[in-house]
Amino acid sequence: MAKRIDVFYGGRAYTIGGRDLEDVRAEIADALESGHGWLSVNDGEGVAQGTELLITHGVDVTLAALPEG
């Protein structure tokens, strides 16, 4: 499990904590297979604020996992 996954979407950086990179990839793949879906992420530095990203075809999403430790 990654300590944190950095998500780059629409030119902005977001984070996901406490999830496995493969699980997030599978969630994105499922959203694309069904046409669209929402990905829960954290926005902000210090005090994270939960937000949702629309996952759909034509929107670039990049994931970078930071390992535990």
Side-chain angles (χ1 to χ4, degrees), residues 1-36:
M1 179 177 303
K3 178 178 181 180
R4 184 179 81 211
I5 300 171
D6 289 338
V7 180
F8 300 94
Y9 175 98
R12 292 197 53 196
Y14 301 90
T15 61
I16 298 173
R19 292 201 47 200
D20 184 69
L21 180 62
E22 291 304 319
D23 290 341
V24 175
R25 284 182 180 165
E27 184 176 340
I28 291 171
D30 289 346
L32 292 172
E33 187 174 314
S34 68
H36 72 280

Side-chain angles (χ1 to χ4, degrees), residues 14-60:
Y14 301 90
T15 61
I16 298 173
R19 292 201 47 200
D20 184 69
L21 180 62
E22 291 304 319
D23 290 341
V24 175
R25 284 182 180 165
E27 184 176 340
I28 291 171
D30 289 346
L32 292 172
E33 187 174 314
S34 68
H36 72 280
W38 295 93
L39 180 65
S40 296
V41 298
N42 295 313
D43 185 19
E45 300 276 334
V47 177
Q49 179 178 348
T51 192
E52 303 284 320
L53 302 179
L54 178 61
I55 303 299
T56 188
H57 293 280
V59 177
D60 293 335

